[in-house]
Amino acid sequence: MKQTFLMLLVAVLVCSCGGKGKRETKAPTRVKTQMVSPGFVDNAQPYVGIVEEREATAVSFTGMGVVKRMLVSEGQAVSRGQLIAEMDDTQARNLLASAEADMTRADDALQRYGMLHENGSLPEVQWVELQSKVAQAKSQLEVAKKNLADCQLTAPVSGIVGKKMIGAGETAMPSQAVVNILDISTVKVKVAIPEAEIGSVSPNTRSSVFVAAIDRSYEGGRIEKGVTADALTHTYDIRINVTNTDRRLLPGMVASVKFTPEGSSSLSGKSIPVASVQKGSDGSLFVWVIDKDSTVHRSTVTLGSTRGNYISVVDGISLGQRIVIEGYQKLSDGTKVIF
């Protein structure tokens, strides 16, 4: 009987110790979110745009030869002066060695006949001819040095390698593009505007740009207007300058563009859904902001005017931040969320 009691006691202790060692992991809370976007008119007409690079530079060799090495890949960031590719320089080195030998002979002849010229024993015509040979040898030496240097292709500008046209082992022709380098520090969003609406768009018309591929909104900058209409669609191309500091916007991405016509009623600065704003126990207004690790924290906001279901934000959040718009009832600082 005592033995049975001891076995039961041990079993109870083991179970209770095992229960204490287990920790319950709370599942992330599911919420609905939205990016903070520039203020815009709720009923503004959306347009489809395509992201373009600010400028594309084709980089090529000046001479013909076989490409020995390609040192960059597509999508790689390069700096001005960085080595991009090398051409087989065997012939260029041989020509340089020959030019250096000619230069040495010409200098030696000029020095040896210099004393004769000073003594008047060398005709002036021969002296001038020797000087001409030295100048010619020097010129050929400089050309040979340049030909050797041109076997190395360097980036003339900083940017992103867009496309490689030639690979190692292929023959490059003079002025044939090897790679093109794209400047995407600022991009342009091209939009086709119907001729009946182009008059309402000016270089300073405000716009908002949303790119679904990276789920991010941007505030459009100065607008460049085309002056030639498409013969079939009767639309004019405009290009909206957008700052792309983090280089997340890439050429070819599709964008949704909305304009705020001059004189229209619109929200200024940043706008968020009214339903996302909460009121704290101290009376302050806040929204739930999602951090990079998918946790949330309160961010106190200063609000402006309201239009429809949106309200402008004066301070407290930044463009591009993600906020919770539904499912915030069970949230607290540091809560893990999924969306």
Side-chain angles (χ1 to χ4, degrees), residues 300-327:
T300 303
V301 292
T302 303
L303 303 178
S305 59
T306 303
R307 180 173 176 81
N309 296 324
Y310 283 82
I311 189 168
S312 63
V313 181
V314 178
D315 190 28
I317 52 177
S318 304
L319 287 174
Q321 284 188 304
R322 185 176 291 279
I323 62 172
V324 177
I325 61 173
E326 288 183 16

Side-chain angles (χ1 to χ4, degrees), residues 85-294:
E86 289 182 325
M87 184 184 289
D88 185 5
D89 59 1
T90 303
Q91 184 177 2
R93 289 188 180 280
N94 291 337
L95 291 175
L96 177 60
S98 177
E100 288 174 340
D102 291 342
M103 187 74 235
T104 300
R105 285 193 295 269
D107 281 336
D108 181 65
L110 188 66
Q111 291 176 3
R112 285 188 292 106
Y113 284 98
M115 295 180 62
L116 295 176
H117 178 261
E118 291 178 0
N119 296 332
S121 303
L122 184 70
E124 189 67 25
V125 174
Q126 293 185 13
W127 178 246
V128 172
E129 185 178 348
L130 285 171
Q131 289 180 317
S132 298
K133 288 183 178 180
V134 171
Q136 184 179 5
K138 185 176 181 181
S139 175
Q140 290 176 346
L141 179 60
E142 294 299 322
V143 171
K145 287 181 178 179
K146 185 179 185 303
N147 287 339
L148 180 60
D150 287 344
C151 290
Q152 293 191 329
L153 186 63
T154 57
V157 294
S158 298
I160 301 293
V161 177
K163 187 176 182 181
K164 291 198 304 182
M165 289 76 163
I166 295 180
E170 297 184 71
T171 300
M173 303 300 292
S175 302
Q176 178 186 5
V178 176
V179 299
N180 64 345
I181 298 177
L182 309 179
D183 180 1
I184 59 171
S185 57
T186 298
V187 296
K188 298 181 180 181
V189 179
K190 185 176 78 170
V191 183
I193 304 295
E195 62 179 358
E197 302 171 20
I198 190 65
S200 63
V201 179
S202 72
N204 298 317
T205 297
R206 291 179 52 214
S207 62
S208 63
V209 178
F210 175 72
V211 180
I214 57 176
D215 194 19
R216 186 165 178 180
S217 296
Y218 295 84
E219 186 172 359
R222 187 169 179 81
I223 295 175
E224 302 172 9
K225 293 178 63 175
V227 295
T228 304
D230 184 278
L232 296 177
T233 62
H234 296 283
T235 58
Y236 289 83
D237 286 339
I238 68 166
R239 287 172 170 82
I240 307 168
N241 287 276
V242 178
T243 302
N244 188 29
T245 307
D246 56 5
R247 295 184 175 181
R248 294 187 64 190
L249 289 172
L250 300 176
M253 286 183 172
V254 178
S256 176
V257 179
K258 288 186 177 182
F259 296 99
T260 302
E262 295 178 8
S264 63
S265 176
S266 64
L267 300 179
S268 59
K270 304 170 284 286
S271 66
I272 59 175
V274 174
S276 65
V277 181
Q278 306 297 307
K279 190 172 184 178
S281 57
D282 59 353
S284 62
L285 300 177
F286 69 92
V287 295
W288 291 107
V289 176
I290 300 179
D291 297 326
K292 292 182 179 180
D293 60 355
S294 295

Side-chain angles (χ1 to χ4, degrees), residues 14 17 64 153 324:
V14 169
C17 288
M64 183 181 72
L153 186 63
V324 177

